[in-house]
Amino acid sequence: MMGFDVFEQTAPSKRAPQMTDVAAAAKVSMATVDRVLNRRKGVKQRTTERVLQAALDLGFLTAGEFELIATPRPPNIVFLLPAGANPYLRLLGEKLRVRAAAKGRDAPSIRCIFIESFNARALADALRHHAAWADGIAFMAIDHPEVREAVEAVTSAGTRVVTIVSDLPHPARMGFVGLDNQSAGRTAAMLLARFSKKTSGSLALVAGSRNYRTHSEREAGFLALLEEMYPDLRVVGVREGHDDAGENYRHAMSLLQQHPDLIGIYNVGGSSNGIARALVELNRAGDVLFIGHGLTADTRKFLIDGTMDAIIDANPDTILSNAISLLCAPPGQMLAGHGQSASRMDIFFRENLPSGTGVPLS
């Protein structure tokens, strides 16, 4: 009897799908597949959906992996702030660092970058550079053609843009978060004129730089109200101190020495400590009214000791929260240029200073 062996024929093992197979099926490059799978920015939504569906159909992704990657990741957000000694901007930076360190799983990734102050080219370069990582950028704007061009470039490439504190009206920005600065300037003029109880005398303004719309708008509001209601109060000069305490000190000393009838100073920008120092050294702190912006450790001290008379403030936590909310809004929910522009204006005097504000003491 002839015997024979029976061998069971097994099918060849199926090759596991590779990224190259996903790219071929989705008709995209390997680089695009890599960006989609790692949830990096720069891929159109319909392309992302096509890549993920191809990966699922081929078995490259499980259903659970598909759902995880298809869920939009929290956005990457960069804040660009001017470098320097401006206490209010340093306070914003410190609060951003606290938020970044406390990031939760579903919270946006936040970076705070300080760049050279009053330098339009440095700001434009920073916008372009950080747009490579950021889904959204919030920045204190300088009104300059190079900055406008950079905003046009980064928004066209898909990065959202929000201006804070100082605006740059541009149809592509998501919105502006800050004070109504003309109203702030008018308020400062009203306070100085009413507090002085004088019908004549001179007033002075110290600004950071008119390159920031926030400063030029405050100045315009200040001058407009005086012209309308107090034409006999004379504005003797608008000095630019670039938010530097040393420059502000020198400007204040000059104004106080040259104008014996000076009854008030409005600091349009930051670094009020320089002006306060001049008032104290010349023994004019109780004589010359002094109004500024930003409730910080130094301005709080000056209100308490009587060197300053009033502080106009925009709550820094509110500024940051509103900017982040705009940049995190779901696609299609927020139209470009339609962000809320006016933050609440708080006016602080010595008698109504809040406690537990989180203002650093150093």
Side-chain angles (χ1 to χ4, degrees), residues 30 47 75 103 105 123 160 187 238 271 311 328 335 338 352:
M30 284 280 288
T47 303
K103 175 186 179 299
R105 185 176 66 86
L123 176 55
R160 293 181 172 191
T187 299
V238 180
S271 296
I311 294 295
C328 290
L335 298 175
H338 285 242
N352 73 333

Side-chain angles (χ1 to χ4, degrees), residues 157-173:
T159 299
R160 293 181 172 191
V161 164
V162 166
T163 53
I164 61 171
V165 182
S166 188
D167 195 15
L168 177 71
H170 190 287
R173 63 126 166 83

Side-chain angles (χ1 to χ4, degrees), residues 49-220:
E49 293 171 356
R50 192 167 72 246
V51 170
L52 291 178
Q53 190 61 53
L56 180 64
D57 293 343
L58 290 169
F60 185 82
L61 293 178
T62 66
E65 291 169 337
F66 174 90
E67 290 297 328
L68 178 63
I69 298 174
T71 302
R73 62 167 173 76
N76 298 329
I77 295 177
V78 168
F79 281 79
L80 300 176
L81 298 177
N86 184 321
Y88 184 78
L89 298 180
R90 289 166 53 198
L91 178 60
L92 284 178
E94 181 56 37
K95 288 181 175 291
L96 281 169
R97 281 190 284 271
V98 172
R99 287 174 182 246
K103 175 186 179 299
R105 185 176 66 86
D106 298 322
S109 297
I110 297 174
R111 294 177 181 175
C112 178
I113 310 296
F114 282 91
I115 59 174
E116 184 179 349
S117 302
F118 311 104
N119 187 325
R121 177 158 296 180
L123 176 55
D125 289 345
L127 284 165
R128 289 189 169 91
H129 174 74
H130 292 287
W133 177 81
D135 301 290
I137 299 177
F139 70 104
M140 184 171 164
I142 297 175
D143 195 354
H144 190 278
E146 289 192 50
V147 178
R148 292 176 179 273
E149 193 68 17
V151 169
E152 184 72 32
V154 302
T155 55
S156 296
T159 299
R160 293 181 172 191
V161 164
V162 166
T163 53
I164 61 171
V165 182
S166 188
D167 195 15
L168 177 71
H170 190 287
R173 63 126 166 83
M174 299 305 298
F176 165 65
V177 181
L179 294 176
D180 177 337
N181 285 300
Q182 287 211 13
S183 177
R186 292 178 65 89
T187 299
M190 175 67 77
L191 289 173
L192 285 178
R194 294 294 295 270
F195 281 5
S196 71
K197 298 181 180 179
K198 295 182 179 179
T199 58
S200 63
S202 62
L203 300 172
L205 285 81
V206 177
S209 170
R210 293 183 180 91
N211 287 335
Y212 287 117
R213 290 178 68 95
T214 184
H215 293 183
S216 61
E217 289 173 353
R218 290 171 186 174
E219 176 188 340

Side-chain angles (χ1 to χ4, degrees), residues 321-338:
S321 294
N322 289 350
I324 292 169
S325 294
L326 279 175
L327 293 173
C328 290
Q333 179 173 311
M334 181 63 69
L335 298 175
H338 285 242

Side-chain angles (χ1 to χ4, degrees), residues 157-293:
T159 299
R160 293 181 172 191
V161 164
V162 166
T163 53
I164 61 171
V165 182
S166 188
D167 195 15
L168 177 71
H170 190 287
R173 63 126 166 83
M174 299 305 298
F176 165 65
V177 181
L179 294 176
D180 177 337
N181 285 300
Q182 287 211 13
S183 177
R186 292 178 65 89
T187 299
M190 175 67 77
L191 289 173
L192 285 178
R194 294 294 295 270
F195 281 5
S196 71
K197 298 181 180 179
K198 295 182 179 179
T199 58
S200 63
S202 62
L203 300 172
L205 285 81
V206 177
S209 170
R210 293 183 180 91
N211 287 335
Y212 287 117
R213 290 178 68 95
T214 184
H215 293 183
S216 61
E217 289 173 353
R218 290 171 186 174
E219 176 188 340
F222 186 91
L223 297 175
L225 184 126
L226 291 180
E227 183 177 349
E228 293 168 21
M229 299 184 63
Y230 301 98
D232 292 329
L233 291 178
R234 183 171 58 102
V235 177
V236 294
V238 180
R239 311 291 178 90
E240 290 191 355
H242 302 98
D243 288 350
D244 178 81
E247 285 192 57
N248 284 353
Y249 168 76
R250 290 188 289 274
H251 288 319
M253 291 292 285
S254 174
L255 289 164
L256 291 164
Q257 291 168 345
Q258 294 177 16
H259 303 282
D261 67 337
L262 190 69
I263 61 174
I265 298 176
Y266 172 35
N267 184 19
V268 177
S271 296
S272 289
N273 51 337
I275 300 172
R277 176 186 164 197
L279 288 169
V280 170
E281 286 187 6
L282 294 179
N283 199 29
R284 301 289 303 277
D287 176 34
V288 176
L289 294 166
F290 179 22
I291 292 175
H293 280 265

